[in-house]
Amino acid sequence: RIMFEHIRSQFSETFGDDNGVQVIMAPGRVNLIGEYTDFNEGFVFPMTVDRGVYVGIRARTDTQVRVFSSRFGELIEYQLDKLEQPDSGHWSCYVLGVVEELRVLGLVPHGFDAVIDGNLNLGAGLSSSAALETATALALQTLFGFDMSRVDVATLCQRIEHRYAGVMCGIMDQFASGLGRSDHALLLDCRTLSHVNIPVNLDDHRIVIISSEVKRELASSAYNERRAQCDEGVALFKQYDPTIASLRDVTPDLFDAYGDQLSEVVFRRCRHVITENARVLDASAALAVGELVQFGRLMTASHHSLKEDFEVSCDELDCLVDIANCTKGVLGSRMTGAGFGGCTVTLIHMDAIETLRANLLPYTERFGLNPEMFVLQGNLEAGEVWGTYST
């Protein structure tokens, strides 16, 4: 309700009144397990978080578009058919990219006024850009009433990242933001986009996200390098089984039979992806039946694989994971996201949360950083927000 009222107040302040304003929200996400499997056509297991991006929107009768960002205190104005593409990385590229792609499809017939705000920490690795794109697309769909499935919304928003932001991301973030459901995590097959929402029954346990406060400066170059190394692995295994299109197709038996022909580094990269895909399927099955201890073990195993085999962790992330796993009441912990900074995600008993918070002091003393801790209080799903909505 707080964000709903804030958006309407901002809208009235910016555009004169809030008559007829509709408010739409799309949540951020955290990936519980399944890292660097997406571009290998494998499996991921994200869930939405309890905060997101909110868009207040109202139609105009002309072709003028006015979009105000509360976060950045900036108003963008232009005529619908005269877009000058914003700089990649600027907040408006995510919004106006969505508008332009939908306009070209004939789905945005006239202008509108919009106010955008949210309660996602932009640096916390909770996928604020995907939430921004998704909220914009769903706001325009609500406003103009066009027919588009949530899967198509996700692929459109991924295209915005590629074309307007210059980020060649996978589909997971946009898919999770648009199709994630409250009280569920989303098991997604990145090849077929088939997906199933798995109930999250944590009882007295909670999901805790800790931001390392380390900027991921190495992530882009490492991503490209590891993508090439995975492709090198696929090329070898394809010689022995022509049906193999990605590491997702490589069975453990095939890996054991021919993996020793790979260089030591490529061997470890492939081992991570193959074992991580198995961990995602095992973890989703464990969570579905409430086997939280097993789920936690798989989270920690995932981190060790990302640290040792894929080498995308860093001292700060390893320290946070070690602190968590040494805290009584923690069932498992891992880095989440691209690595080299960003966040960890931890499964913890609710009675141990304050102990974990206190245990972070050595991290601050060692690295001079103050990690931010988010305790998920449930999770949200994208859609229209009403005045009785609570955050």
Side-chain angles (χ1 to χ4, degrees), residues 72-92:
F72 297 102
E74 189 174 1
L75 177 67
I76 301 290
E77 298 184 72
Y78 75 102
Q79 295 299 314
L80 193 58
D81 57 349
K82 296 177 180 177
L83 174 67
E84 293 184 14
Q85 188 161 324
D87 293 336
S88 60
H90 190 270
W91 68 266
S92 63

Side-chain angles (χ1 to χ4, degrees), residues 1 9-10 13 21 64 95 141-142 189 200 202 232 274 279 286 304 316 335 358 378 387:
R1 183 180 181 88
S9 173
Q10 285 282 303
E13 185 178 320
V21 173
Q64 187 174 28
V95 176
Q141 184 176 35
T142 300
D189 181 336
V200 176
L202 300 181
E232 186 177 332
I274 293 165
R279 279 188 290 271
H304 289 313
E316 292 87 351
M335 60 156 274

Side-chain angles (χ1 to χ4, degrees), residues 225-372:
E225 179 183 58
R226 279 152 185 74
R227 192 159 188 159
Q229 290 164 340
C230 291
D231 289 344
E232 186 177 332
V234 171
L236 171 77
F237 294 116
K238 200 176 182 69
Q239 295 176 27
Y240 299 99
D241 183 349
T243 66
I244 286 173
S246 70
L247 287 179
R248 180 254 186 75
D249 301 316
V250 179
T251 64
D253 287 345
L254 193 67
F255 182 71
D256 290 343
Y258 303 109
D260 59 359
Q261 298 180 36
L262 298 166
S263 70
E264 187 264 341
V265 170
V266 173
F267 175 89
R268 287 190 288 111
R269 303 296 188 256
C270 294
R271 181 168 62 186
H272 164 71
V273 174
I274 293 165
T275 58
E276 184 80 345
N277 272 320
R279 279 188 290 271
V280 173
L281 296 177
D282 289 345
S284 61
L287 191 61
V289 295
E291 292 181 356
L292 300 184
V293 172
Q294 174 65 358
F295 188 84
R297 287 182 184 139
L298 290 163
M299 290 175 72
T300 299
S302 171
H303 182 78
H304 289 313
S305 182
L306 287 158
K307 175 186 176 182
E308 304 294 340
D309 278 355
F310 224 65
E311 296 182 286
V312 291
S313 189
C314 60
D315 290 343
E316 292 87 351
L317 290 172
D318 295 340
C319 181
L320 290 175
V321 169
D322 289 343
I323 288 171
N325 283 327
C326 289
T327 301
K328 186 177 180 180
V330 167
L331 298 184
S333 184
R334 62 184 288 274
M335 60 156 274
T336 182
F340 301 104
C343 294
T344 61
V345 58
T346 298
L347 180 60
I348 185 173
H349 193 280
M350 59 190 299
D351 292 344
I353 289 172
E354 292 312 311
T355 302
L356 176 58
R357 195 186 303 275
N359 288 349
L360 295 175
L361 181 59
Y363 178 89
T364 299
E365 292 173 343
R366 178 179 172 186
F367 298 108
L369 298 167
N370 293 304
E372 189 169 3

Side-chain angles (χ1 to χ4, degrees), residues 11-135:
F11 201 99
S12 184
E13 185 178 320
T14 306
F15 300 120
D17 63 72
D18 64 356
N19 296 333
V21 173
Q22 295 171 284
V23 180
I24 290 83
M25 185 278 302
R29 66 92 191 98
V30 61
N31 194 24
L32 298 178
I33 191 166
E35 229 62 73
Y36 285 95
T37 49
D38 56 349
F39 64 77
N40 288 289
E41 298 187 326
F43 301 94
V44 292
F45 196 45
M47 69 181 290
T48 61
V49 298
D50 55 0
R51 55 195 74 194
V53 172
Y54 293 72
V55 177
I57 194 165
R58 183 174 64 193
R60 298 176 60 91
T61 57
D62 55 20
T63 60
Q64 187 174 28
V65 172
R66 300 190 295 179
V67 182
F68 178 73
S69 167
S70 296
R71 181 72 60 95
F72 297 102
E74 189 174 1
L75 177 67
I76 301 290
E77 298 184 72
Y78 75 102
Q79 295 299 314
L80 193 58
D81 57 349
K82 296 177 180 177
L83 174 67
E84 293 184 14
Q85 188 161 324
D87 293 336
S88 60
H90 190 270
W91 68 266
S92 63
C93 77
Y94 303 103
V95 176
L96 303 187
V98 171
V99 177
E100 180 65 7
E101 292 291 304
L102 292 173
R103 183 195 70 81
V104 169
L105 292 171
L107 301 177
V108 179
H110 44 85
F112 59 90
D113 294 333
V115 167
I116 297 172
D117 203 356
N119 48 13
L120 275 177
N121 182 320
L122 296 180
L126 301 178
S127 197
S128 54
S129 64
L132 178 56
E133 294 151 0
T134 304

Side-chain angles (χ1 to χ4, degrees), residues 170-232:
I171 191 68
M172 178 182 69
D173 292 353
Q174 292 77 13
F175 212 97
S177 183
L179 287 100
R181 294 292 172 261
S182 178
D183 300 321
H184 290 74
L186 184 74
L187 176 62
L188 171 63
D189 181 336
C190 293
R191 169 178 286 169
T192 66
L193 300 187
S194 63
H195 54 283
V196 58
N197 286 287
I198 305 288
V200 176
N201 298 311
L202 300 181
D203 295 324
D204 293 333
H205 289 80
R206 297 290 181 269
I207 298 292
V208 170
I209 301 162
I210 302 177
S211 172
S212 68
E213 301 301 303
V214 176
K215 294 182 179 179
R216 296 169 298 192
E217 295 175 353
L218 297 174
S220 295
S221 59
Y223 178 91
N224 293 332
E225 179 183 58
R226 279 152 185 74
R227 192 159 188 159
Q229 290 164 340
C230 291
D231 289 344
E232 186 177 332

